[in-house]
Structure formats: C-alpha cells, structure tokens
Amino acid sequence: MSNVVNILDQDQNLPPVQPIFITVDPERDDAESMAKYVKEFHPRLLGLTGTPEEVKKVGKAYRVYYSAGPKDDDNDYIVDHTIIIYLLNPDGLFLDYYNRSKTDVEIVESIRKHMQNYIKLFS
C-alpha cells in the first residue's frame, strides 16, 4: 500500500489519497500502538482500532475474515486474516478492491482511472 501511495503522490495531476489501516486485533492494537505501527509504513497512513465489537462490525461489513490462533506460553498468538486493500471514493462509497495477486503498478493504474473518472455524488 505504501508503494502505491508513493507512486500516486508523484502524479501532480491527482489529489493525494488517504491510506487507512484497520486492525483486526483490537485486543493488542490500542490507539497508541496503532499510531506507532502505521508510522513504520507511510507518514499519512491512518491506523484505526476500536472495541472488539466495533472491529467485528467493520469486518463483517467488508467481508473480512480474521481469527486469532491459540496463545502460546507467553500469551502471544498469531491472527489469520484476509489481506486486501479496498478503494473508497471521497463520498465513502466502495469502488474496487485489490488482493495480493495485484502488483503495485496494477493497483496504481486502477486507482488512477477511478480518480480520473470520479464524479462527486454528494454535496
């Protein structure tokens, strides 16, 4: 995602995109840890967390699978989850999604086309 944003940022004819990361592990990912984590990837990356119920609701809305594995002796665990990027327009409407089979260049071209064809729906 960071590469995609960096490539798009080079195009002066396009407005900047807002990358967002939503955790599927709110038990470990509080607001402070999310803020630190996302800074490692991109300066504009916004990290979102919430209560387990809120995260579950968002996961369900976007059809994201996630499941925490068993805890080890140190109470550590791995979370299995869908790896996907969603593209929403400025009106908050779903436009497209990208899975791991897409390259950063393919994603950039898709986003560029969506941005060039965007028509504001709400005032």
Side-chain angles (χ1 to χ4, degrees), residues 2-19 42-44 108 112:
S2 296
N3 284 345
V4 169
V5 174
N6 289 334
I7 294 168
L8 288 167
D9 281 349
Q10 294 173 16
D11 188 339
Q12 299 297 320
N13 297 316
L14 297 176
V17 297
Q18 176 59 62
H42 195 277
R44 282 200 322 270
V108 165
R112 185 175 281 128

Side-chain angles (χ1 to χ4, degrees), residues 9 62 71:
D9 281 349
Y62 286 93
K71 293 183 179 181

Side-chain angles (χ1 to χ4, degrees), residues 37-119:
Y37 179 73
V38 297
K39 293 285 185 233
E40 296 179 24
F41 297 96
H42 195 277
R44 282 200 322 270
L45 182 59
L46 178 62
L48 301 179
T49 189
T51 66
E53 295 78 25
E54 290 168 330
V55 171
K56 183 177 181 179
K57 185 176 177 181
V58 171
K60 186 175 181 179
Y62 286 93
R63 296 184 174 150
V64 171
Y65 161 81
Y66 63 96
S67 177
K71 293 183 179 181
D72 65 14
D73 294 339
D74 296 325
N75 262 348
D76 197 16
Y77 56 94
I78 294 175
V79 177
D80 184 30
H81 58 82
T82 305
I83 299 174
I84 199 158
I85 297 171
Y86 290 96
L87 179 64
L88 305 179
N89 72 14
D91 300 309
L93 301 175
F94 171 83
L95 292 177
D96 214 339
Y97 74 95
Y98 312 101
N99 59 29
R100 293 176 14 167
S101 69
K102 297 286 185 186
T103 68
D104 53 358
V105 173
E106 291 171 321
I107 296 170
V108 165
E109 288 309 310
S110 173
I111 293 173
R112 185 175 281 128
K113 287 178 188 173
H114 283 293
M115 292 175 87
Q116 291 168 343
N117 295 322
Y118 170 68
I119 298 171

